[in-house]
Amino acid sequence: MTTKLYQNDVYIRDWITSVSDLTITEDNKTVLYLDSTAFFPEGGGQSCDKGIISFLRKGKEHCVDVIDVQEEGELVAHTVSGDVLPEKGEEVSCSLDWARRFDNMQRHCGEHILSGIFHERCGGINRGFHMGEDYMTIDISLEENPGNLAFRKPETIDDSIAAECELMANRVIWANEPVFVFRFDNREEAEKMPLRKKLAFDEDISIVCVGSPENASDCVACCGTHPSTAGQVGLIKIYKVENYKGMFRIFFEAGERAFRDYMTKHRMLTEISNRYSSSIEDFPSKIKSQEQKISELKNQLFTIKKAYLSKEQLKLDQLIASEASPVLFTLYDLSIDDAFTLSKEYMGKPVCCGRLILIYVPKSTSFILASDGTPDCGSLVKEYASFYKGKGGGNKTSARAIFSKEEDAMLFADLLSKHLK
């Protein structure tokens, strides 16, 4: 049986103990069992602690890294990595990665507080919790309607409800409410607590209570590690809300991670607003003004482009009337989509008179092929474009051929010219 130091004091960072056993797994990993440990094993939605175990051998200090910690009944298994390993019965010094532990404590306690607020505000039940690397999520179900709900039960959790719950959760942090952990041997005693969620087991029960049991902001069974006061969580920030399998998935972060996210986004917003010669407060109206100007410019560009294509069409009509098939026409400074717009005036129409029209776009080394169906544009691209590392496709009256080099595109056009002759 491993003495679990983290159950009595989550702030233990360094301690001395002995190796009670050592095993090598089938996949050649080393697992240590200690008489006592403050390394928290993975569980309750929380990742395990990591750290270092050191020991002296012939006057020289050796260290192994704790890379995984799992609970095995009454034992705690520590998977370690190192060149020299401690032996059974040997005394070792342990040191956990405190930054990782406190990060987990902030985030896990933040989840408790936010879940408790959604229960108080909406009658929502947390049906799922995930502590990811980039954010945390809770899945809130509104299936229950407790009679003592102080607020009107909402039909949905929208952005306004989420913002309200976020503010209420942060007020719990600002009030620096105490965080208690109560341990019970049986369900009967544990169920006397003001639990927001029914118990899932019958013995060795840990209840985490944010605030006093008489006026708790949250009270639920949990085996994780939490700070002694809510103020140490620092901050809770909701990112977004999504519908998920009939529930509402809340994306959020807590603690230093939430603060760092705020700093990153604030820096980005400051840089962008400075680029637009605007304050952060005036930035939304500045963007709206810029969008209006861009819309006006797009309308002007559309009108100018339409007039330009009309003139280019007149030039192409003259070429069609004077040159043999295929008619090669270059459309400068415009895109392949503009070429396609121009080709619509010819594809499948008698004006082609059995001729093939090749509209070349230098910008993308591409062709738009158009005809009245004879010759078959799609078949020409399919049969000949690959000769010059080209790709594309289409139908009888319209097709596209795209090349990586202008030289290959011109060879393709020359081949079509010879083929049609």
Side-chain angles (χ1 to χ4, degrees):
M1 181 176 177
T2 306
T3 301
K4 301 171 184 176
L5 302 175
Y6 53 83
Q7 290 186 340
N8 297 317
D9 186 357
V10 295
Y11 293 95
I12 293 177
R13 308 186 190 188
D14 304 284
W15 68 101
I16 295 174
T17 186
S18 297
V19 178
S20 59
D21 202 359
L22 181 150
T23 62
I24 305 297
T25 64
E26 292 181 357
D27 51 356
N28 206 33
K29 291 181 180 179
T30 302
V31 178
L32 295 182
Y33 298 90
L34 307 176
D35 288 339
S36 61
T37 185
F39 289 113
F40 176 78
E42 181 182 16
Q46 180 175 318
S47 60
C48 69
D49 286 331
K50 293 185 179 181
I52 295 173
I53 297 176
S54 58
F55 55 96
L56 290 174
R57 181 76 54 78
K58 295 182 180 180
K60 184 177 180 181
E61 185 179 45
H62 300 276
C63 296
V64 293
D65 294 318
V66 179
I67 58 177
D68 188 35
V69 186
Q70 298 292 328
E71 199 165 27
E72 297 179 359
E74 296 296 330
L75 297 174
V76 177
H78 308 73
T79 302
V80 298
S81 173
D83 296 329
V84 181
L85 301 173
E87 298 174 352
K88 183 176 179 180
E90 193 165 13
E91 184 178 84
V92 293
S93 297
C94 304
S95 179
L96 62 81
D97 182 342
W98 176 250
R100 178 184 175 89
R101 158 67 74 80
F102 192 64
D103 175 53
N104 279 337
M105 289 165 59
Q106 284 186 311
R107 299 177 87 201
H108 205 155
C109 190
E111 178 270 323
H112 279 281
I113 295 170
L114 190 59
S115 296
I117 293 299
F118 273 109
H119 184 258
E120 176 187 348
R121 172 63 183 85
C122 309
I125 303 298
N126 182 343
R127 297 298 183 190
F129 166 49
H130 175 68
M131 187 184 288
E133 183 59 35
D134 299 321
Y135 51 79
M136 292 186 286
T137 61
I138 51 176
D139 296 328
I140 302 296
S141 171
L142 298 181
E143 78 235 29
E144 297 190 12
N145 188 13
N148 61 348
L149 191 62
F151 303 85
R152 180 180 178 182
K153 181 177 180 292
E155 297 298 324
T156 185
I157 298 178
D158 55 19
D159 290 341
S160 62
I161 293 290
E164 187 179 341
C165 291
E166 178 185 72
L167 178 59
M168 292 173 66
N170 279 292
R171 283 175 175 164
V172 173
I173 295 172
W174 303 332
N176 198 27
E177 293 190 6
V179 179
F180 300 104
V181 180
F182 301 95
R183 303 193 188 280
F184 300 93
D185 294 327
N186 57 73
R187 175 188 289 267
E188 183 179 357
E189 290 298 317
E191 287 181 337
K192 294 178 182 179
M193 300 290 290
L195 302 173
R196 65 167 160 86
K197 196 172 182 180
K198 295 178 181 178
L199 292 175
F201 35 88
D202 298 318
E203 57 185 17
D204 192 20
I205 303 168
S206 297
I207 303 295
V208 176
C209 188
V210 182
S212 66
E214 295 75 26
N215 187 28
S217 296
D218 186 53
C219 189
V220 71
C222 180
C223 64
T225 55
H226 311 81
S228 57
T229 58
Q232 295 175 64
V233 173
L235 176 68
I236 290 174
K237 186 72 191 84
I238 293 177
Y239 296 154
K240 63 178 179 177
V241 180
E242 290 183 353
N243 291 325
Y244 177 75
K245 296 183 178 179
M247 298 179 289
F248 299 92
R249 174 160 285 182
I250 315 297
F251 294 77
F252 71 105
E253 197 49 90
E256 184 176 339
R257 291 185 185 232
F259 173 74
R260 289 187 179 278
D261 179 79
Y262 166 80
M263 292 296 292
T264 298
K265 290 174 180 175
H266 184 272
R267 183 175 63 251
M268 292 170 60
L269 184 57
T270 300
E271 290 175 355
I272 295 173
S273 59
N274 289 341
R275 190 180 304 169
Y276 281 83
S277 302
S278 169
S279 66
I280 291 177
E281 292 75 17
D282 295 334
F283 187 57
S285 59
K286 188 79 171 183
I287 286 294
K288 187 175 182 180
S289 175
Q290 290 290 332
E291 288 176 344
Q292 185 175 352
K293 289 180 181 179
I294 291 172
S295 179
E296 292 172 357
L297 287 172
K298 284 182 177 180
N299 290 334
Q300 293 175 12
L301 178 61
F302 176 79
T303 302
I304 293 170
K305 189 182 287 187
K306 188 175 181 181
Y308 180 77
L309 286 175
S310 295
K311 290 185 177 180
E312 294 300 291
Q313 183 183 342
L314 291 175
K315 294 179 184 177
L316 182 52
D317 287 343
Q318 292 175 356
L319 283 177
I320 292 172
S322 61
E323 293 189 5
S325 182
V327 177
L328 178 60
F329 184 77
T330 302
L331 192 63
Y332 294 100
D333 301 321
L334 293 181
S335 68
I336 190 70
D337 292 331
D338 296 321
F340 182 73
T341 299
L342 178 59
S343 73
K344 287 181 180 179
E345 301 297 325
Y346 304 97
M347 60 179 67
K349 296 182 180 179
V351 67
C352 290
C353 302
R355 298 185 178 194
L356 175 66
I357 299 171
L358 295 172
I359 303 177
Y360 179 60
V361 182
K363 192 174 181 179
S364 57
T365 55
S366 305
F367 285 103
I368 291 291
L369 286 70
S371 73
D372 60 0
T374 305
D376 187 324
C377 298
S379 295
L380 290 175
V381 171
K382 183 177 180 181
E383 187 172 353
Y384 298 116
S386 60
F387 289 3
Y388 306 104
K389 300 178 183 178
K391 58 182 181 179
N395 54 39
K396 286 187 175 183
T397 62
S398 175
R400 295 189 184 196
I402 304 170
F403 301 88
S404 57
K405 297 179 181 179
E406 183 172 7
E407 180 184 359
D408 293 333
M410 292 301 102
L411 288 172
F412 172 73
D414 183 63
L415 178 62
L416 291 188
S417 177
K418 292 176 181 178
H419 170 76
L420 294 177
K421 286 181 180 178

